[in-house]
Structure formats: structure tokens, C-alpha cells
Amino acid sequence: MGATAPDSAADEHVGSAVPGVRHETFAVGFHLAAPPSAVFEAFADAPVRSRWFKLPGRHVSYHHDFVLNGGETASSVFTVPGGHPEGLAYESRYLDISPDSRIVYAYTSRVNDVPRWTSLVTVELHPEAGGTHLRWTEQAAFLTPSAEPDHDFPHLRGATRLRLTGLEVALTAAGREDDRPQASG
């Protein structure tokens, strides 16, 4: 009798309760009334970024190191009314940083220490009349579905749009701060 090679794909799921991975990709275009350099700076500057990039909840922690192979970590405790508190955690790593034009990073989101999804994000900044066209492309791998898995992808896409609206608000606030008269010394 001849030996046959084991079917590794079948073997890794025998008796396993590991759910399959669902992949989704989306792109969002967004106009910002600021030049690409200001938009890029809103990603790079930790105090500004922490204003628009937030995890919901309380007991929030945040750290940002905007360099190649650096990254970002954030955590919080979030409670839906009538629900149990959930520990949220985010961790990213910058893979490509091209000043004023492109940022590429990978991140993982966890809920109660369980990795829910991981994504590759490409942010492209293109000058256009009156500001910048930002194109956000995200390729997500959903590792652990929520109790309502059909809501996972729309939730991610919606959260991205909310963050970009927050970015717009942070840029508007930064523009107002730049317009204030400077004190002379």
C-alpha cells in the first residue's frame, strides 16, 4: 500500500470550533477642505489624531508612534445600555508612510481579548480644488464573528465613516486655531 499525503486543510479543522474567516473590502472617498499636508499631519500628530481616532467607552488608553514599523494602541471599556462591559483593544503597525500622500497600516481589533478582525488599510491623499480627496481602502478579515455576524461588516464601514467625519472636525478646529492671533512676547 502506498502512503498518501495528509490533507492538511481538512486536518486543521477536525474537531475544531474555529470559525471560517470572512473577507471583505471597501473603499471610501472623502473630501476634506484642507491641503494634503494638513490631512497628513492630522494622522501623524498624536494629540490631533487622538481627537478623531477614538474607541468608545471609558478607561481609555492611547499611544501613537507615527514612524515606519511604529504603530498605535488604544483600549477602552464599553458598555451598551443593558449589556455587559466589553474590553475593546486596537493595535496597529505602519507599513508605509509617504509624507503628504499615502499611509498604509495593518491593525487588529479585539473584544474581551478575542481578535474580532484584522485589516490592511491604505489611505491615499490627492490634492483637489478646495482641499484634499482622501481615499480609504480597507481589506478586512473577520476572524471571530459577533453575535450578529451580518452586522460586522456594516459596523466596520460605518465606524470608518464616523472617524473620517471626526477627522474633518479635527481639521476644521485646527484651522480655526491657526487663524487665532499669536501673542507677542
Side-chain angles (χ1 to χ4, degrees), residues 14-122:
V14 172
S16 172
V18 175
V21 174
R22 190 174 101 221
H23 295 90
E24 299 282 356
T25 297
F26 68 95
V28 175
F30 208 81
H31 174 80
L32 296 158
S37 59
V39 176
F40 183 84
E41 188 61 26
F43 276 84
D45 184 86
V48 173
R49 180 148 167 96
S50 69
R51 279 188 251 156
W52 65 270
F53 179 86
K54 296 179 181 184
L55 291 179
R58 55 186 168 70
H59 304 295
V60 175
S61 72
Y62 181 76
H63 175 75
H64 188 223
D65 184 21
F66 190 74
V67 297
L68 193 59
N69 294 317
E72 191 171 32
T73 58
S75 65
S76 70
V77 175
F78 180 69
T79 306
V80 175
H84 297 286
E86 294 181 322
L88 307 179
Y90 168 94
E91 185 174 4
S92 73
R93 181 175 178 182
Y94 290 107
L95 305 172
D96 180 56
I97 298 174
S98 298
D100 302 343
S101 65
R102 184 178 61 229
I103 302 163
V104 179
Y105 64 95
Y107 76 90
T108 300
S109 286
R110 298 177 184 277
V111 176
N112 294 330
D113 294 323
V114 175
R116 291 284 308 283
W117 71 87
T118 189
S119 284
L120 176 66
V121 176
T122 303

